[in-house]
Amino acid sequence: MGWKAAEKLIRHWKILRGDNVMIIRGKDKGETGTIKRVIRSQNRVIVEGKNLIKKHIKGGPDHEGGIFTVEAPLHASNVQVVDPVTGRPCKVGVKYLEDGTKVRVARGTGTSGSIIPRPEILKIRTTPRPTTGLILGKIFLFFFAAGPKDTPMEFVWEQTYDAKTGKGMPDL
């Protein structure tokens, strides 16, 4: 991707994985579906079961070749989130409730202005992180599983500088 294309990347995405969207342009215009994947580096989304194309795949020693039907990415400007009340496509706005929580709302002509809920699928990570936790006062620290290049924990907690005595200060 050239620098001109990188300038035009969407900075603040309002379409999320798991959103119910309507395709507003293209061969599947007017159909609704769920966002399967968001490709932010290309400003594209994949809608489940829509924009199907035939893909010719050459066979190899470990897999069989043939003609497969796959979902092709759509540009993000060609889909709109569906208003949960009216069922019509709408723009997405951001609003803060009285308790300070940030929510997405339906915007535009003929929309209800209702809250668009965050998809449940976003709470599930595709690859869960292995973590262990430690509580220090009000701070909760996460430690990820140690890899071959990670610093051992006994070296992490070793105190190497004492501010009162100046011990550990390098000679400059």
Side-chain angles (χ1 to χ4, degrees), residues 34-144:
T34 307
I35 297 286
K36 188 176 181 180
R37 184 172 168 221
V38 176
I39 308 168
R40 292 179 185 232
S41 62
Q42 299 174 3
N43 286 346
R44 295 186 176 271
V45 295
I46 296 177
V47 182
E48 203 167 335
K50 306 294 179 220
N51 200 29
L52 299 173
I53 60 167
K54 300 280 187 184
K55 190 102 172 157
H56 296 256
I57 297 178
K58 185 177 179 182
D62 56 345
H63 66 279
E64 196 174 320
I67 301 171
F68 299 101
T69 304
V70 294
E71 299 146 342
L74 286 162
H75 197 270
S77 65
N78 296 337
V79 297
Q80 275 191 325
V81 177
V82 173
D83 188 346
V85 176
T86 62
R88 296 180 58 194
C90 66
K91 295 178 182 178
V92 178
V94 177
K95 184 177 171 183
Y96 291 91
L97 298 177
E98 291 83 22
D99 61 350
T101 56
K102 183 179 175 181
V103 293
R104 299 184 305 158
V105 293
R107 282 184 44 232
T109 309
T111 59
S112 63
S114 63
I115 294 174
I116 301 170
R118 276 181 72 81
E120 291 294 322
I121 197 165
L122 290 179
K123 294 178 182 170
I124 304 165
R125 286 185 57 90
T126 52
T127 54
R129 291 183 180 163
T131 60
T132 58
L134 174 68
I135 299 174
L136 292 174
K138 294 181 181 177
I139 302 171
F140 188 77
L141 299 175
F142 282 104
F143 299 112
F144 298 101

Side-chain angles (χ1 to χ4, degrees), residues 132 134 141-144 146 150-158:
T132 58
L134 174 68
L141 299 175
F142 282 104
F143 299 112
F144 298 101
D150 289 337
T151 306
M153 289 309 295
E154 59 266 11
F155 293 123
V156 171
W157 291 110
E158 180 184 343

